[in-house]
Amino acid sequence: MVYPDYLSQVKAVRRLAEQRRVRVRVIGKSLCGRNIYAVICGGANGCRPLIAAGFHGMEWLTVAAALRYARECAADAVIVPCVNPDGVEIALHGAAAACHWQPFVAATGDAARWQANARGVDINHNFNADWHNVKRREREAGITRPCATRFGGSRPESEPETRALTRLCRHKHIARVLALHSQGREIYWDFGSCTPPGCRALAEAMSAVSGYAVSSPAPTATGGGFKDWFIAAFHRCGFTVEMGLGKNPLPPEQLATEYPRVKALLDVFVRG
């Protein structure tokens, strides 16, 4: 497979715009100025489901899966293939991809296992969902400053990558969301009392076609995430899907074996 670095993403979305009946929009820019793209599939306007991937740098296989699904999606949907293009570039190409944050990234150690954005904020801990407890758990774990993973930032939506998604959801009628991560073959579907009816049933339908388990995340992964924020903000269904098995970064050859499961569950999610 072609690694889904930034140049490959740009080429892929341009081909989609040329070859398919889709619209491509730039919904924001990363800290380093890289475009964050949304691919809008289908011809009708109105309420659409949203699929987003590439929140964490070393989970770049999710970007490849989302781009492939964007080529094949036959329904009305919005797909954001890579929320965190700087993080993916760092994980694939090293600290030099972090523009003027290069010295900081280089000093932290192994860039290949980078999760955060260029200045060390974990995008999936930067959403305004149970923020107080997110920060309390960070402090208890000794996470008090920017780093490769799990530092949620100084305040909710402090990062341009986070704001790109929240702005999209606030200004476009989004029916439900799915955040694609790796790994574990699990589906997370709730966020406490904010969760509307029907979310578990849809999670179970996705599970039935994919073999992914309907589950709950560990306490350290609860709150601060995109699906948590969406559920709390809009009282509509949100899901996190952990694709694949193994240790991140997943090997590129796993895409061929894992994608049929991912496509099956995404088809169910899009249909609702």
Side-chain angles (χ1 to χ4, degrees):
M1 61 164 282
V2 175
Y3 285 83
D5 63 7
Y6 182 66
L7 290 179
S8 296
Q9 292 174 44
V10 172
K11 292 176 182 177
V13 296
R14 285 177 178 171
R15 284 196 300 269
L16 282 167
E18 293 168 358
Q19 298 172 5
R20 289 206 56 207
R21 192 178 170 219
V22 302
R23 289 168 285 160
V24 174
R25 299 286 183 267
V26 176
I27 62 169
K29 289 184 178 291
S30 70
L31 284 168
C32 292
R34 297 180 174 103
N35 289 339
I36 301 170
Y37 293 101
V39 179
I40 304 169
C41 304
N45 291 317
C47 194
R48 298 170 187 263
L50 168 64
I51 299 162
F55 288 84
H56 289 143
M58 70 172 174
E59 297 180 6
W60 46 260
L61 204 68
T62 66
V63 180
L67 286 168
R68 182 168 173 180
Y69 191 72
R71 294 198 301 268
E72 300 175 3
C73 182
D76 292 348
V78 180
I79 301 171
V80 179
C82 189
V83 175
N84 180 15
D86 295 349
V88 169
E89 287 293 288
I90 292 166
L92 287 173
H93 299 305
C99 51
H100 58 271
W101 285 277
Q102 177 179 350
F104 159 70
V105 174
T108 62
D110 186 7
R113 299 187 61 78
W114 195 260
Q115 293 278 73
N117 70 355
R119 65 179 168 203
V121 175
D122 189 322
I123 299 305
N124 210 46
H125 286 239
N126 190 235
F127 292 88
N128 192 12
D130 198 26
W131 181 254
H132 173 76
N133 283 320
V134 170
K135 300 309 289 183
R136 175 184 57 80
R137 286 191 292 268
E138 285 180 12
R139 291 191 298 270
E140 290 172 351
I143 302 169
T144 59
R145 64 187 68 184
C147 55
T149 185
R150 290 180 56 196
F151 177 70
S154 59
R155 65 186 187 279
E157 297 188 38
S158 62
E159 305 310 296
E161 298 90 350
T162 312
R163 294 193 297 272
L165 268 191
T166 57
R167 186 168 55 243
L168 175 65
C169 292
R170 288 171 178 140
H171 291 89
K172 193 170 185 68
H173 196 187
I174 301 297
R176 55 194 170 276
V177 303
L178 186 149
L180 192 59
H181 288 261
S182 63
Q183 46 68 41
R185 285 186 181 167
E186 293 183 304
I187 302 168
Y188 307 142
W189 60 277
D190 69 329
F191 188 57
S193 61
C194 300
T195 311
C199 299
R200 181 171 184 111
L202 184 51
E204 289 175 343
M206 290 190 283
S207 173
V209 298
S210 64
Y212 283 27
V214 176
S215 187
S216 296
T220 54
T222 301
F226 177 50
K227 70 95 172 163
D228 301 332
W229 169 80
F230 185 84
I231 291 172
F234 296 98
H235 296 276
R236 299 174 190 154
C237 291
F239 305 91
T240 295
V241 170
E242 299 282 356
M243 70 171 277
L245 289 174
K247 184 177 181 180
N248 287 323
L250 294 177
E253 57 268 20
Q254 191 168 137
L255 182 65
T257 56
E258 201 64 25
Y259 181 74
R261 295 176 184 266
V262 173
K263 182 181 186 302
L265 72 82
L266 291 179
D267 284 343
V268 170
F269 166 77
V270 168
R271 291 195 301 268

PDB file of all heavy atoms in Angstrom, residues 122-135 137-138 150 152 190-192 217-229:
ATOM      1  N   ASP A 122      -2.792  16.058  22.404  1.00  0.00           N
ATOM      2  CA  ASP A 122      -3.545  14.908  21.893  1.00  0.00           C
ATOM      3  C   ASP A 122      -4.927  15.398  21.478  1.00  0.00           C
ATOM      4  O   ASP A 122      -5.738  15.781  22.330  1.00  0.00           O
ATOM      5  CB  ASP A 122      -3.645  13.846  22.989  1.00  0.00           C
ATOM      6  CG  ASP A 122      -4.219  12.526  22.503  1.00  0.00           C
ATOM      7  OD1 ASP A 122      -5.157  12.552  21.671  1.00  0.00           O
ATOM      8  OD2 ASP A 122      -3.764  11.466  22.964  1.00  0.00           O
ATOM      9  N   ILE A 123      -5.200  15.384  20.182  1.00  0.00           N
ATOM     10  CA  ILE A 123      -6.461  15.927  19.669  1.00  0.00           C
ATOM     11  C   ILE A 123      -7.665  15.220  20.278  1.00  0.00           C
ATOM     12  O   ILE A 123      -8.681  15.857  20.598  1.00  0.00           O
ATOM     13  CB  ILE A 123      -6.502  15.845  18.124  1.00  0.00           C
ATOM     14  CG1 ILE A 123      -5.365  16.675  17.513  1.00  0.00           C
ATOM     15  CG2 ILE A 123      -7.856  16.326  17.589  1.00  0.00           C
ATOM     16  CD1 ILE A 123      -5.336  18.116  17.956  1.00  0.00           C
ATOM     17  N   ASN A 124      -7.585  13.923  20.507  1.00  0.00           N
ATOM     18  CA  ASN A 124      -8.745  13.218  21.036  1.00  0.00           C
ATOM     19  C   ASN A 124      -8.869  13.341  22.554  1.00  0.00           C
ATOM     20  O   ASN A 124      -9.652  12.638  23.185  1.00  0.00           O
ATOM     21  CB  ASN A 124      -8.721  11.744  20.636  1.00  0.00           C
ATOM     22  CG  ASN A 124     -10.128  11.177  20.509  1.00  0.00           C
ATOM     23  OD1 ASN A 124     -10.996  11.805  19.903  1.00  0.00           O
ATOM     24  ND2 ASN A 124     -10.368  10.013  21.090  1.00  0.00           N
ATOM     25  N   HIS A 125      -8.102  14.234  23.155  1.00  0.00           N
ATOM     26  CA  HIS A 125      -8.310  14.634  24.553  1.00  0.00           C
ATOM     27  C   HIS A 125      -8.618  16.127  24.654  1.00  0.00           C
ATOM     28  O   HIS A 125      -8.686  16.665  25.756  1.00  0.00           O
ATOM     29  CB  HIS A 125      -7.067  14.314  25.390  1.00  0.00           C
ATOM     30  CG  HIS A 125      -6.888  12.875  25.691  1.00  0.00           C
ATOM     31  ND1 HIS A 125      -6.836  12.377  26.971  1.00  0.00           N
ATOM     32  CD2 HIS A 125      -6.765  11.794  24.887  1.00  0.00           C
ATOM     33  CE1 HIS A 125      -6.659  11.060  26.950  1.00  0.00           C
ATOM     34  NE2 HIS A 125      -6.616  10.696  25.680  1.00  0.00           N
ATOM     35  N   ASN A 126      -8.820  16.788  23.509  1.00  0.00           N
ATOM     36  CA  ASN A 126      -8.930  18.240  23.473  1.00  0.00           C
ATOM     37  C   ASN A 126     -10.351  18.742  23.252  1.00  0.00           C
ATOM     38  O   ASN A 126     -10.573  19.942  23.126  1.00  0.00           O
ATOM     39  CB  ASN A 126      -7.996  18.794  22.370  1.00  0.00           C
ATOM     40  CG  ASN A 126      -7.838  20.301  22.379  1.00  0.00           C
ATOM     41  OD1 ASN A 126      -8.080  20.967  21.377  1.00  0.00           O
ATOM     42  ND2 ASN A 126      -7.436  20.868  23.508  1.00  0.00           N
ATOM     43  N   PHE A 127     -11.318  17.835  23.222  1.00  0.00           N
ATOM     44  CA  PHE A 127     -12.720  18.229  23.054  1.00  0.00           C
ATOM     45  C   PHE A 127     -13.360  18.489  24.421  1.00  0.00           C
ATOM     46  O   PHE A 127     -12.974  17.895  25.432  1.00  0.00           O
ATOM     47  CB  PHE A 127     -13.489  17.144  22.301  1.00  0.00           C
ATOM     48  CG  PHE A 127     -13.076  16.993  20.869  1.00  0.00           C
ATOM     49  CD1 PHE A 127     -12.028  16.152  20.513  1.00  0.00           C
ATOM     50  CD2 PHE A 127     -13.726  17.696  19.871  1.00  0.00           C
ATOM     51  CE1 PHE A 127     -11.633  16.006  19.193  1.00  0.00           C
ATOM     52  CE2 PHE A 127     -13.343  17.567  18.540  1.00  0.00           C
ATOM     53  CZ  PHE A 127     -12.295  16.731  18.204  1.00  0.00           C
ATOM     54  N   ASN A 128     -14.354  19.350  24.425  1.00  0.00           N
ATOM     55  CA  ASN A 128     -14.975  19.778  25.681  1.00  0.00           C
ATOM     56  C   ASN A 128     -16.033  18.771  26.123  1.00  0.00           C
ATOM     57  O   ASN A 128     -17.231  18.975  25.958  1.00  0.00           O
ATOM     58  CB  ASN A 128     -15.598  21.169  25.517  1.00  0.00           C
ATOM     59  CG  ASN A 128     -15.988  21.763  26.855  1.00  0.00           C
ATOM     60  OD1 ASN A 128     -15.600  21.261  27.908  1.00  0.00           O
ATOM     61  ND2 ASN A 128     -16.745  22.845  26.831  1.00  0.00           N
ATOM     62  N   ALA A 129     -15.545  17.676  26.705  1.00  0.00           N
ATOM     63  CA  ALA A 129     -16.431  16.624  27.214  1.00  0.00           C
ATOM     64  C   ALA A 129     -15.857  16.128  28.531  1.00  0.00           C
ATOM     65  O   ALA A 129     -14.795  15.515  28.550  1.00  0.00           O
ATOM     66  CB  ALA A 129     -16.538  15.478  26.206  1.00  0.00           C
ATOM     67  N   ASP A 130     -16.539  16.453  29.638  1.00  0.00           N
ATOM     68  CA  ASP A 130     -16.075  16.068  30.970  1.00  0.00           C
ATOM     69  C   ASP A 130     -14.653  16.567  31.194  1.00  0.00           C
ATOM     70  O   ASP A 130     -13.799  15.860  31.735  1.00  0.00           O
ATOM     71  CB  ASP A 130     -16.173  14.550  31.140  1.00  0.00           C
ATOM     72  CG  ASP A 130     -16.136  14.121  32.607  1.00  0.00           C
ATOM     73  OD1 ASP A 130     -16.513  14.924  33.474  1.00  0.00           O
ATOM     74  OD2 ASP A 130     -15.705  12.988  32.875  1.00  0.00           O
ATOM     75  N   TRP A 131     -14.401  17.804  30.794  1.00  0.00           N
ATOM     76  CA  TRP A 131     -13.050  18.354  30.767  1.00  0.00           C
ATOM     77  C   TRP A 131     -12.370  18.309  32.136  1.00  0.00           C
ATOM     78  O   TRP A 131     -11.178  17.992  32.243  1.00  0.00           O
ATOM     79  CB  TRP A 131     -13.105  19.786  30.237  1.00  0.00           C
ATOM     80  CG  TRP A 131     -11.769  20.443  30.144  1.00  0.00           C
ATOM     81  CD1 TRP A 131     -11.259  21.405  30.960  1.00  0.00           C
ATOM     82  CD2 TRP A 131     -10.754  20.194  29.158  1.00  0.00           C
ATOM     83  NE1 TRP A 131     -10.001  21.767  30.558  1.00  0.00           N
ATOM     84  CE2 TRP A 131      -9.671  21.045  29.448  1.00  0.00           C
ATOM     85  CE3 TRP A 131     -10.662  19.333  28.054  1.00  0.00           C
ATOM     86  CZ2 TRP A 131      -8.506  21.068  28.687  1.00  0.00           C
ATOM     87  CZ3 TRP A 131      -9.503  19.361  27.300  1.00  0.00           C
ATOM     88  CH2 TRP A 131      -8.452  20.210  27.607  1.00  0.00           C
ATOM     89  N   HIS A 132     -13.117  18.644  33.178  1.00  0.00           N
ATOM     90  CA  HIS A 132     -12.517  18.674  34.517  1.00  0.00           C
ATOM     91  C   HIS A 132     -11.921  17.320  34.878  1.00  0.00           C
ATOM     92  O   HIS A 132     -10.783  17.244  35.379  1.00  0.00           O
ATOM     93  CB  HIS A 132     -13.581  19.080  35.549  1.00  0.00           C
ATOM     94  CG  HIS A 132     -13.109  18.990  36.962  1.00  0.00           C
ATOM     95  ND1 HIS A 132     -12.267  19.921  37.541  1.00  0.00           N
ATOM     96  CD2 HIS A 132     -13.351  18.051  37.928  1.00  0.00           C
ATOM     97  CE1 HIS A 132     -12.009  19.574  38.795  1.00  0.00           C
ATOM     98  NE2 HIS A 132     -12.646  18.452  39.054  1.00  0.00           N
ATOM     99  N   ASN A 133     -12.651  16.267  34.634  1.00  0.00           N
ATOM    100  CA  ASN A 133     -12.146  14.936  34.973  1.00  0.00           C
ATOM    101  C   ASN A 133     -11.029  14.481  34.040  1.00  0.00           C
ATOM    102  O   ASN A 133     -10.134  13.734  34.447  1.00  0.00           O
ATOM    103  CB  ASN A 133     -13.290  13.922  34.983  1.00  0.00           C
ATOM    104  CG  ASN A 133     -14.145  14.036  36.229  1.00  0.00           C
ATOM    105  OD1 ASN A 133     -13.617  14.231  37.326  1.00  0.00           O
ATOM    106  ND2 ASN A 133     -15.457  13.942  36.064  1.00  0.00           N
ATOM    107  N   VAL A 134     -11.072  14.918  32.787  1.00  0.00           N
ATOM    108  CA  VAL A 134      -9.977  14.607  31.868  1.00  0.00           C
ATOM    109  C   VAL A 134      -8.667  15.169  32.415  1.00  0.00           C
ATOM    110  O   VAL A 134      -7.640  14.474  32.486  1.00  0.00           O
ATOM    111  CB  VAL A 134     -10.261  15.186  30.466  1.00  0.00           C
ATOM    112  CG1 VAL A 134      -9.025  15.090  29.573  1.00  0.00           C
ATOM    113  CG2 VAL A 134     -11.421  14.438  29.811  1.00  0.00           C
ATOM    114  N   LYS A 135      -8.683  16.425  32.837  1.00  0.00           N
ATOM    115  CA  LYS A 135      -7.465  17.042  33.360  1.00  0.00           C
ATOM    116  C   LYS A 135      -7.044  16.428  34.696  1.00  0.00           C
ATOM    117  O   LYS A 135      -5.851  16.289  34.971  1.00  0.00           O
ATOM    118  CB  LYS A 135      -7.653  18.550  33.506  1.00  0.00           C
ATOM    119  CG  LYS A 135      -7.966  19.273  32.217  1.00  0.00           C
ATOM    120  CD  LYS A 135      -6.975  18.940  31.098  1.00  0.00           C
ATOM    121  CE  LYS A 135      -5.609  19.539  31.308  1.00  0.00           C
ATOM    122  NZ  LYS A 135      -4.693  19.265  30.163  1.00  0.00           N
ATOM    123  N   ARG A 137      -7.457  13.291  35.598  1.00  0.00           N
ATOM    124  CA  ARG A 137      -6.807  12.014  35.311  1.00  0.00           C
ATOM    125  C   ARG A 137      -5.412  12.220  34.715  1.00  0.00           C
ATOM    126  O   ARG A 137      -4.493  11.440  34.978  1.00  0.00           O
ATOM    127  CB  ARG A 137      -7.691  11.177  34.386  1.00  0.00           C
ATOM    128  CG  ARG A 137      -8.905  10.593  35.078  1.00  0.00           C
ATOM    129  CD  ARG A 137      -9.601   9.566  34.198  1.00  0.00           C
ATOM    130  NE  ARG A 137     -10.223  10.176  33.039  1.00  0.00           N
ATOM    131  CZ  ARG A 137     -11.489  10.591  32.997  1.00  0.00           C
ATOM    132  NH1 ARG A 137     -12.271  10.459  34.063  1.00  0.00           N
ATOM    133  NH2 ARG A 137     -12.000  11.115  31.892  1.00  0.00           N
ATOM    134  N   GLU A 138      -5.261  13.253  33.891  1.00  0.00           N
ATOM    135  CA  GLU A 138      -3.922  13.559  33.367  1.00  0.00           C
ATOM    136  C   GLU A 138      -2.954  13.843  34.510  1.00  0.00           C
ATOM    137  O   GLU A 138      -1.834  13.314  34.544  1.00  0.00           O
ATOM    138  CB  GLU A 138      -3.984  14.766  32.428  1.00  0.00           C
ATOM    139  CG  GLU A 138      -4.585  14.476  31.072  1.00  0.00           C
ATOM    140  CD  GLU A 138      -4.620  15.710  30.199  1.00  0.00           C
ATOM    141  OE1 GLU A 138      -3.971  16.727  30.555  1.00  0.00           O
ATOM    142  OE2 GLU A 138      -5.311  15.688  29.167  1.00  0.00           O
ATOM    143  N   ARG A 150      -1.760  11.902  25.071  1.00  0.00           N
ATOM    144  CA  ARG A 150      -2.632  12.004  26.239  1.00  0.00           C
ATOM    145  C   ARG A 150      -2.610  13.336  26.965  1.00  0.00           C
ATOM    146  O   ARG A 150      -3.322  13.498  27.956  1.00  0.00           O
ATOM    147  CB  ARG A 150      -2.382  10.870  27.236  1.00  0.00           C
ATOM    148  CG  ARG A 150      -2.854   9.511  26.746  1.00  0.00           C
ATOM    149  CD  ARG A 150      -2.589   8.426  27.779  1.00  0.00           C
ATOM    150  NE  ARG A 150      -3.206   8.747  29.056  1.00  0.00           N
ATOM    151  CZ  ARG A 150      -2.899   8.156  30.214  1.00  0.00           C
ATOM    152  NH1 ARG A 150      -1.959   7.231  30.253  1.00  0.00           N
ATOM    153  NH2 ARG A 150      -3.502   8.502  31.338  1.00  0.00           N
ATOM    154  N   GLY A 152      -4.127  16.837  27.021  1.00  0.00           N
ATOM    155  CA  GLY A 152      -5.302  17.384  26.361  1.00  0.00           C
ATOM    156  C   GLY A 152      -5.259  18.857  26.044  1.00  0.00           C
ATOM    157  O   GLY A 152      -6.228  19.393  25.500  1.00  0.00           O
ATOM    158  N   ASP A 190     -21.266   5.004  23.909  1.00  0.00           N
ATOM    159  CA  ASP A 190     -22.032   5.811  24.849  1.00  0.00           C
ATOM    160  C   ASP A 190     -21.168   6.866  25.515  1.00  0.00           C
ATOM    161  O   ASP A 190     -19.942   6.819  25.487  1.00  0.00           O
ATOM    162  CB  ASP A 190     -22.699   4.926  25.905  1.00  0.00           C
ATOM    163  CG  ASP A 190     -21.680   4.300  26.870  1.00  0.00           C
ATOM    164  OD1 ASP A 190     -20.541   4.043  26.437  1.00  0.00           O
ATOM    165  OD2 ASP A 190     -22.035   4.087  28.038  1.00  0.00           O
ATOM    166  N   PHE A 191     -21.850   7.839  26.135  1.00  0.00           N
ATOM    167  CA  PHE A 191     -21.201   8.829  26.975  1.00  0.00           C
ATOM    168  C   PHE A 191     -22.164   9.217  28.088  1.00  0.00           C
ATOM    169  O   PHE A 191     -22.766  10.286  28.097  1.00  0.00           O
ATOM    170  CB  PHE A 191     -20.767  10.048  26.162  1.00  0.00           C
ATOM    171  CG  PHE A 191     -19.913  11.011  26.947  1.00  0.00           C
ATOM    172  CD1 PHE A 191     -18.733  10.583  27.542  1.00  0.00           C
ATOM    173  CD2 PHE A 191     -20.283  12.338  27.088  1.00  0.00           C
ATOM    174  CE1 PHE A 191     -17.941  11.463  28.266  1.00  0.00           C
ATOM    175  CE2 PHE A 191     -19.500  13.228  27.808  1.00  0.00           C
ATOM    176  CZ  PHE A 191     -18.328  12.776  28.406  1.00  0.00           C
ATOM    177  N   GLY A 192     -22.352   8.280  29.005  1.00  0.00           N
ATOM    178  CA  GLY A 192     -23.174   8.509  30.184  1.00  0.00           C
ATOM    179  C   GLY A 192     -24.609   8.845  29.865  1.00  0.00           C
ATOM    180  O   GLY A 192     -25.199   8.348  28.890  1.00  0.00           O
ATOM    181  N   PRO A 217     -14.655   2.039  26.772  1.00  0.00           N
ATOM    182  CA  PRO A 217     -13.220   2.324  26.888  1.00  0.00           C
ATOM    183  C   PRO A 217     -12.773   2.322  28.341  1.00  0.00           C
ATOM    184  O   PRO A 217     -13.572   2.429  29.271  1.00  0.00           O
ATOM    185  CB  PRO A 217     -13.099   3.719  26.275  1.00  0.00           C
ATOM    186  CG  PRO A 217     -14.438   4.336  26.505  1.00  0.00           C
ATOM    187  CD  PRO A 217     -15.438   3.227  26.393  1.00  0.00           C
ATOM    188  N   ALA A 218     -11.474   2.231  28.530  1.00  0.00           N
ATOM    189  CA  ALA A 218     -10.903   2.364  29.861  1.00  0.00           C
ATOM    190  C   ALA A 218     -11.162   3.769  30.390  1.00  0.00           C
ATOM    191  O   ALA A 218     -11.338   4.716  29.611  1.00  0.00           O
ATOM    192  CB  ALA A 218      -9.400   2.093  29.808  1.00  0.00           C
ATOM    193  N   PRO A 219     -11.214   3.946  31.723  1.00  0.00           N
ATOM    194  CA  PRO A 219     -11.462   5.284  32.282  1.00  0.00           C
ATOM    195  C   PRO A 219     -10.516   6.350  31.758  1.00  0.00           C
ATOM    196  O   PRO A 219     -10.913   7.505  31.572  1.00  0.00           O
ATOM    197  CB  PRO A 219     -11.283   5.063  33.788  1.00  0.00           C
ATOM    198  CG  PRO A 219     -11.626   3.625  34.009  1.00  0.00           C
ATOM    199  CD  PRO A 219     -11.132   2.914  32.780  1.00  0.00           C
ATOM    200  N   THR A 220      -9.254   5.995  31.500  1.00  0.00           N
ATOM    201  CA  THR A 220      -8.290   6.972  31.004  1.00  0.00           C
ATOM    202  C   THR A 220      -8.601   7.440  29.591  1.00  0.00           C
ATOM    203  O   THR A 220      -8.063   8.452  29.136  1.00  0.00           O
ATOM    204  CB  THR A 220      -6.863   6.384  31.026  1.00  0.00           C
ATOM    205  OG1 THR A 220      -6.852   5.146  30.302  1.00  0.00           O
ATOM    206  CG2 THR A 220      -6.396   6.144  32.459  1.00  0.00           C
ATOM    207  N   ALA A 221      -9.455   6.713  28.890  1.00  0.00           N
ATOM    208  CA  ALA A 221      -9.828   7.080  27.520  1.00  0.00           C
ATOM    209  C   ALA A 221     -11.258   7.595  27.441  1.00  0.00           C
ATOM    210  O   ALA A 221     -11.831   7.691  26.353  1.00  0.00           O
ATOM    211  CB  ALA A 221      -9.652   5.879  26.595  1.00  0.00           C
ATOM    212  N   THR A 222     -11.847   7.942  28.584  1.00  0.00           N
ATOM    213  CA  THR A 222     -13.212   8.447  28.631  1.00  0.00           C
ATOM    214  C   THR A 222     -13.188   9.958  28.826  1.00  0.00           C
ATOM    215  O   THR A 222     -12.485  10.470  29.700  1.00  0.00           O
ATOM    216  CB  THR A 222     -13.992   7.793  29.782  1.00  0.00           C
ATOM    217  OG1 THR A 222     -14.007   6.385  29.589  1.00  0.00           O
ATOM    218  CG2 THR A 222     -15.420   8.313  29.833  1.00  0.00           C
ATOM    219  N   GLY A 223     -13.965  10.665  28.027  1.00  0.00           N
ATOM    220  CA  GLY A 223     -13.985  12.119  28.102  1.00  0.00           C
ATOM    221  C   GLY A 223     -12.899  12.726  27.240  1.00  0.00           C
ATOM    222  O   GLY A 223     -11.862  12.118  26.980  1.00  0.00           O
ATOM    223  N   GLY A 224     -13.169  13.930  26.781  1.00  0.00           N
ATOM    224  CA  GLY A 224     -12.197  14.656  25.968  1.00  0.00           C
ATOM    225  C   GLY A 224     -12.171  14.282  24.509  1.00  0.00           C
ATOM    226  O   GLY A 224     -11.506  14.946  23.711  1.00  0.00           O
ATOM    227  N   GLY A 225     -12.876  13.209  24.130  1.00  0.00           N
ATOM    228  CA  GLY A 225     -12.829  12.706  22.769  1.00  0.00           C
ATOM    229  C   GLY A 225     -13.926  13.269  21.884  1.00  0.00           C
ATOM    230  O   GLY A 225     -14.912  13.847  22.352  1.00  0.00           O
ATOM    231  N   PHE A 226     -13.758  13.053  20.586  1.00  0.00           N
ATOM    232  CA  PHE A 226     -14.704  13.597  19.614  1.00  0.00           C
ATOM    233  C   PHE A 226     -16.098  13.018  19.793  1.00  0.00           C
ATOM    234  O   PHE A 226     -17.085  13.758  19.845  1.00  0.00           O
ATOM    235  CB  PHE A 226     -14.183  13.330  18.200  1.00  0.00           C
ATOM    236  CG  PHE A 226     -15.119  13.776  17.105  1.00  0.00           C
ATOM    237  CD1 PHE A 226     -15.665  15.052  17.111  1.00  0.00           C
ATOM    238  CD2 PHE A 226     -15.452  12.918  16.060  1.00  0.00           C
ATOM    239  CE1 PHE A 226     -16.529  15.466  16.100  1.00  0.00           C
ATOM    240  CE2 PHE A 226     -16.316  13.323  15.046  1.00  0.00           C
ATOM    241  CZ  PHE A 226     -16.863  14.606  15.073  1.00  0.00           C
ATOM    242  N   LYS A 227     -16.205  11.688  19.885  1.00  0.00           N
ATOM    243  CA  LYS A 227     -17.557  11.115  19.998  1.00  0.00           C
ATOM    244  C   LYS A 227     -18.207  11.534  21.314  1.00  0.00           C
ATOM    245  O   LYS A 227     -19.426  11.751  21.361  1.00  0.00           O
ATOM    246  CB  LYS A 227     -17.532   9.604  19.801  1.00  0.00           C
ATOM    247  CG  LYS A 227     -16.902   8.753  20.886  1.00  0.00           C
ATOM    248  CD  LYS A 227     -17.921   8.213  21.882  1.00  0.00           C
ATOM    249  CE  LYS A 227     -17.251   7.214  22.818  1.00  0.00           C
ATOM    250  NZ  LYS A 227     -18.031   6.940  24.029  1.00  0.00           N
ATOM    251  N   ASP A 228     -17.413  11.681  22.398  1.00  0.00           N
ATOM    252  CA  ASP A 228     -17.970  12.132  23.670  1.00  0.00           C
ATOM    253  C   ASP A 228     -18.525  13.543  23.536  1.00  0.00           C
ATOM    254  O   ASP A 228     -19.643  13.837  23.972  1.00  0.00           O
ATOM    255  CB  ASP A 228     -16.885  12.116  24.749  1.00  0.00           C
ATOM    256  CG  ASP A 228     -16.278  10.744  24.966  1.00  0.00           C
ATOM    257  OD1 ASP A 228     -16.978   9.747  24.722  1.00  0.00           O
ATOM    258  OD2 ASP A 228     -15.103  10.677  25.374  1.00  0.00           O
ATOM    259  N   TRP A 229     -17.735  14.422  22.927  1.00  0.00           N
ATOM    260  CA  TRP A 229     -18.190  15.797  22.743  1.00  0.00           C
ATOM    261  C   TRP A 229     -19.448  15.853  21.892  1.00  0.00           C
ATOM    262  O   TRP A 229     -20.404  16.575  22.212  1.00  0.00           O
ATOM    263  CB  TRP A 229     -17.079  16.623  22.083  1.00  0.00           C
ATOM    264  CG  TRP A 229     -17.554  17.966  21.627  1.00  0.00           C
ATOM    265  CD1 TRP A 229     -17.725  19.081  22.395  1.00  0.00           C
ATOM    266  CD2 TRP A 229     -17.973  18.331  20.297  1.00  0.00           C
ATOM    267  NE1 TRP A 229     -18.219  20.121  21.632  1.00  0.00           N
ATOM    268  CE2 TRP A 229     -18.373  19.677  20.340  1.00  0.00           C
ATOM    269  CE3 TRP A 229     -18.035  17.637  19.095  1.00  0.00           C
ATOM    270  CZ2 TRP A 229     -18.837  20.361  19.217  1.00  0.00           C
ATOM    271  CZ3 TRP A 229     -18.500  18.306  17.973  1.00  0.00           C
ATOM    272  CH2 TRP A 229     -18.898  19.653  18.031  1.00  0.00           C
TER     273      TRP A 229
END
